[in-house]
Amino acid sequence: AGAIAKALFPGHQGGGILGTMILGIVGAFVGGSLFSFLTTGTLALTSAGLSLGGILVAVLGAIVALFIYYAVTRRSASY
């Protein structure tokens, strides 16, 4: 999920293989939690599971995590 998100997200992302794996794991939890919130109305820390839909949710969550990470690091680097 992390590798797919890095391929889809515009710009250059560093981090290597370990960063990509961590991004995939974080993305699965972010995506699963957002999916849970949108479907049930409650925010729960869950993963989406291993299925085509689960991978899609994990990739979308990883893209959101990438966006947030780069928004925070760009802002803090400008000071």
Side-chain angles (χ1 to χ4, degrees):
I4 295 170
K6 281 187 171 186
L8 294 176
F9 198 79
H12 174 71
Q13 298 86 29
I17 189 72
L18 183 63
T20 303
M21 289 180 357
I22 291 171
L23 176 65
I25 293 167
V26 169
F29 281 107
V30 168
S33 297
L34 287 174
F35 183 76
S36 173
F37 179 71
L38 292 174
T39 56
T40 64
T42 60
L43 190 59
L45 186 61
T46 61
S47 64
L50 187 58
S51 65
L52 185 58
I55 293 171
L56 180 65
V57 167
V59 169
L60 291 175
I63 290 173
V64 169
L66 264 176
F67 177 78
I68 292 169
Y69 173 76
Y70 287 113
V72 168
T73 57
R74 273 191 228 135
R75 187 174 305 138
S76 65
S78 64
Y79 290 116

